[in-house]
Amino acid sequence: MFPALRDEVASALEAALAARELPTDDLGIEEPPDDVESVLASSVAFRLAGVVGAAPPRVAAELADEIDPDELTLVDRVETQGPYLNFLPSAAYYAETLDAATESTYGRRPDRGESVVVEHTSANPTGPVHVGRARNPIIGDAVANALDYAGYDVDRHYYVNDAGRQIAVFTWAYETFDESDLGEPDREKADYDLVRYYREGNAFLEDAPEEEVEAAEAEIESIMQGLEAGEEATYERVSEVVDRVLEGMRETLSRLPVTFDEFVKETRFMRDGSTDDVVARLQDLDEAFYEDDAWQLDLSAFGMEKPFVFLRADGTSLYTTRDVAHHEWKFDQYDRAVTVIGEDHELTFDELRKTLELLGHDTDPLDQLFYSWVNLPGGEGMSTRAGTGIDLDDLLDEAVSRARGEVEDRLDDRIRDDDLTEADVERIARQVGIGAVRYDIVAKQPTKAITFEWDRALDFEAQSAPYVQYVHARCCGILEEADADPAADLSDLADDVDATTLETPEERDLLEVIARFPRVIETAADDLEPHRVATYTREFAETFNAFYRECPVLSNDVDEETRAARLALVAASKHTIANALDVLGVAAPRSM
């Protein structure tokens, strides 16, 4: 209801301004401070004081006189507070919020008829996913979820780098070394098995005699040339390695859980001639020149001093050249393209965008979200090549183990009473532990580097995933006690309920927070800022807990009318927090 209220307030303000022949280009609508009773306010009087020639409070009062609340549905009255116009919601606003939020799809916005591809993770298939890169799939998945909830038709893509030198080295190493040359894998998974070849190959290239290294480099170059030429045999050799490593990486990502609609291989745009076509068109540009044994593009007109090399002297293309073809394909297939990418690729992405513009493309549909790194206390290294660092699998194992300890400490009595089985505890530990990792990472602004800390992430009392998840479990517990199925659509609980019964400050505050959820989704999607949803869930949890303390739902002391209204409010809360957690990719446990 909040978006509908905002629209109604905007229309009322525009009409009031038009009646006084004042400009309507900036309405100054904002959410007021917590100590103000209204849900929306307008600071437009500040802007118009000079135009009208009167003090802002007088302008605000005159505009308020132009608005007749009787002609509005969701606004009960308009009050002024100094220069602000405050809009107080009507009973219909609360009733319609309660009605809407008891639907299981609450928060999902209408279909926009616009397609979006979200490319994220795209880690090189050279070994297990590492903690330092964990932010990409977690943020990328949350961005895709937010866009999906906001009404976009979303595809999730993993762009597979299967054509660069690293992959050629990996393929050569896999074909060169025997199992007996390698140590034991850290895990029984394909990516851990094959990464041993990659590490052995790199060690060989650093330490072997010069003539042996030269022979190896010749084979590596042959693999790269074979891919460039579109040789099927070379592609199959490389795919054997890449596909097996990806199998293991996908297994790890599924634990988060993160899934993809398509794994788009880089070689696709070499084999279908797209890269050659891009190279030919780049060579025809006025900005193209050949120097230092390479074709380059002068981007100085865009303030970029370093030229963009798009073709080597040996005829092999570069990653960004192939990515130009990749993005041209995206533009053909989708209305909008979003890329979640590490901050170390910012310059490369700038080169890509400027090159696309020189080729005549409108890059407005292209959005990128840069993120900084995740660190663990102590600053452990994250190098796949060196074989050091902390793998994401290790982090998730530790998360589940620590969460199980926390859960068992809190639930010993319930386990003994058979309220929860060991299987229940394992499920909750997995949901809480992995939820804690995802939540702690996605809750921070992507551009800020973060250090993951266990005590903060798994704190059941602080503003963490367990704190928010517990609200959902509490809602489910209340509904089960009232013989309602928390997993079902609960819209029938709002039937014949009088929302005016919900008149305590805690009930009204909770309804107002619930009403804002669809707007939070829209903002998170439009600005590519999923951390806003995490911030919302913390506010929601605090507001629900205040309601829970002050407003008993099933107590014998509560009359039937109030009981029904409060139960409907719990149902609305359950759907709201479940869907907010769903956007973040965090499980909503039924019990904790």
Side-chain angles (χ1 to χ4, degrees):
M1 278 303 101
F2 188 84
L5 175 65
R6 187 182 179 90
D7 290 344
E8 187 172 270
V9 167
S11 296
L13 276 172
E14 286 175 350
L17 291 167
R20 291 184 173 264
E21 298 183 348
L22 294 171
T24 61
D25 55 312
D26 182 4
L27 301 177
I29 297 174
E30 59 190 60
E31 294 178 37
D34 291 339
D35 59 350
V36 175
E37 187 180 355
S38 68
V39 175
L40 281 173
S42 171
S43 61
V44 68
F46 277 115
R47 179 175 63 83
L48 297 176
V51 177
V52 176
R58 179 181 166 186
V59 175
E62 290 176 353
L63 290 174
D65 289 342
E66 291 286 350
I67 299 173
D68 182 2
D70 291 339
E71 296 179 357
L72 305 177
T73 302
L74 304 178
V75 175
D76 180 59
R77 62 188 188 277
V78 183
E79 297 178 348
T80 60
Q81 184 177 358
Y84 289 95
L85 288 93
N86 293 326
F87 296 84
L88 286 78
S90 66
Y93 176 74
Y94 293 111
E96 292 187 29
T97 293
L98 194 62
D99 246 9
T102 51
E103 300 278 351
S104 60
T105 57
Y106 183 62
R108 288 194 173 275
R109 311 307 297 136
D111 185 359
R112 299 194 187 203
E114 187 174 344
S115 61
V116 182
V117 57
V118 178
E119 177 198 329
H120 69 83
T121 305
S122 302
N124 289 343
T126 53
V129 182
H130 279 188
V131 170
R133 298 284 180 178
R135 207 169 188 181
N136 197 319
I138 289 172
I139 292 174
D141 192 52
V143 166
N145 292 341
L147 289 164
D148 179 41
Y149 265 78
Y152 293 94
D153 179 14
V154 180
D155 274 356
R156 298 157 167 85
H157 284 187
Y158 186 122
Y159 186 49
V160 183
N161 179 355
D162 64 336
R165 174 180 163 80
Q166 285 182 313
I167 298 302
V169 169
F170 205 159
T171 303
W172 159 79
Y174 180 68
E175 296 173 346
T176 299
F177 298 101
D178 295 324
E179 174 77 22
S180 58
D181 297 325
L182 313 171
E184 290 296 315
D186 294 335
R187 288 174 186 260
E188 293 301 319
K189 269 176 84 235
D191 46 346
Y192 289 85
D193 179 24
L194 266 70
V195 75
R196 298 175 300 155
Y197 292 93
Y198 182 62
R199 291 168 180 165
E200 185 70 21
N202 277 293
F204 179 91
L205 293 174
E206 288 184 358
D207 302 329
E210 184 177 348
E211 62 273 12
E212 294 183 28
V213 171
E214 287 178 355
E217 289 288 359
E219 178 58 25
I220 292 166
E221 178 65 21
S222 173
I223 293 170
M224 295 176 66
Q225 290 286 355
L227 289 175
E228 200 74 39
E231 294 175 359
E232 188 65 25
T234 305
Y235 175 73
E236 289 177 1
R237 290 167 63 192
V238 168
S239 293
E240 183 178 356
V241 174
V242 169
D243 291 348
R244 286 188 60 194
V245 175
L246 275 177
E247 175 191 335
M249 297 173 76
R250 290 170 72 172
E251 186 179 332
T252 298
L253 293 169
S254 70
R255 298 179 65 189
L256 282 170
V258 169
T259 58
F260 295 89
D261 296 296
E262 188 172 354
F263 284 74
V264 181
K265 288 188 173 180
E266 188 179 0
T267 50
R268 170 181 185 163
F269 306 103
M270 302 165 71
R271 302 173 77 207
D272 68 3
S274 299
T275 301
D276 289 340
D277 179 63
V278 165
V279 168
R281 284 183 285 130
L282 290 177
Q283 288 174 327
D284 286 341
L285 293 175
D286 292 340
E287 291 82 1
F289 64 95
Y290 188 83
E291 189 176 282
D292 297 329
D293 295 326
W295 276 96
Q296 305 178 53
L297 210 59
D298 180 7
L299 299 177
S300 59
F302 298 103
M304 302 176 69
E305 294 184 8
K306 185 179 178 181
F308 161 47
V309 177
F310 63 88
L311 190 69
R312 301 182 185 93
D314 61 7
T316 57
S317 57
L318 286 86
Y319 176 89
T320 307
T321 317
R322 300 185 286 270
D323 208 17
V324 170
H326 175 210
H327 277 79
E328 288 188 326
W329 172 77
K330 286 184 183 181
F331 291 160
D332 286 341
Q333 302 292 321
Y334 300 95
D335 298 313
R336 183 180 176 194
V338 176
T339 305
V340 180
I341 193 165
E343 61 184 7
D344 57 329
H345 289 84
E346 193 164 353
L347 176 59
T348 301
F349 210 89
D350 281 346
E351 289 179 338
L352 169 69
R353 180 181 288 275
K354 302 311 180 190
T355 301
L356 286 166
E357 290 175 5
L358 286 175
L359 289 173
H361 293 285
D362 175 10
T363 58
D364 285 345
L366 177 58
D367 291 310
Q368 64 278 341
L369 176 59
F370 296 107
Y371 67 90
S372 189
W373 311 121
V374 174
N375 302 304
L376 294 177
E380 293 90 346
M382 298 295 172
S383 169
T384 306
R385 182 175 176 278
T388 61
I390 306 297
D391 295 321
L392 181 57
D393 281 312
D394 297 331
L395 181 71
L396 297 181
D397 285 349
E398 183 73 9
V400 174
S401 176
R402 287 178 181 248
R404 183 183 178 91
E406 293 284 343
V407 170
E408 288 178 337
D409 286 347
R410 287 165 168 76
L411 299 181
D412 278 345
D413 292 338
R414 292 179 65 184
I415 294 170
R416 284 197 295 269
D417 292 340
D418 292 327
D419 287 344
L420 288 179
T421 66
E422 285 297 322
D424 289 329
V425 173
E426 185 60 32
R427 169 185 56 80
I428 294 169
R430 187 173 62 255
Q431 290 176 323
V432 170
I434 293 177
V437 171
R438 284 198 63 141
Y439 190 92
D440 195 66
I441 288 175
V442 79
K444 311 297 190 304
Q445 289 189 31
T447 53
K448 294 183 178 179
I450 62 173
T451 298
F452 183 85
E453 296 176 356
W454 290 112
D455 291 344
R456 179 190 65 217
L458 286 169
D459 191 338
F460 279 65
E461 310 302 328
Q463 294 183 335
S464 59
Y467 175 76
V468 175
Q469 288 172 309
Y470 196 77
V471 169
H472 182 267
R474 179 166 277 165
C475 289
C476 291
I478 295 171
L479 291 164
E480 288 173 341
E481 192 176 344
D483 295 324
D485 181 4
D489 189 292
L490 301 167
S491 56
D492 60 322
L493 294 181
D495 294 345
D496 303 320
V497 165
D498 183 1
T500 61
T501 305
L502 302 171
E503 57 185 5
T504 69
E506 291 79 14
E507 292 165 328
R508 288 297 175 95
D509 287 348
L510 184 54
L511 271 170
E512 288 171 6
V513 173
I514 290 171
R516 282 198 290 107
F517 180 49
R519 176 59 181 164
V520 172
I521 291 295
E522 290 178 347
T523 303
D526 291 345
D527 298 340
L528 303 181
E529 293 184 340
H531 66 275
R532 291 183 181 231
V533 181
T535 301
Y536 171 82
T537 62
R538 292 194 291 265
E539 179 188 354
F540 183 93
E542 289 180 349
T543 308
F544 180 86
N545 288 336
F547 159 78
Y548 181 80
R549 287 192 303 268
E550 301 298 328
C551 304
V553 179
L554 305 178
S555 169
N556 291 332
D557 298 332
V558 177
D559 64 80
E560 284 300 315
E561 188 177 32
T562 302
R563 180 184 187 277
R566 287 180 178 173
L567 190 61
L569 184 53
V570 171
S573 298
K574 185 267 174 192
H575 285 324
T576 302
I577 197 61
N579 291 343
L581 287 171
D582 187 45
V583 171
L584 300 175
V586 174
R590 186 161 173 164
S591 59
M592 283 179 67

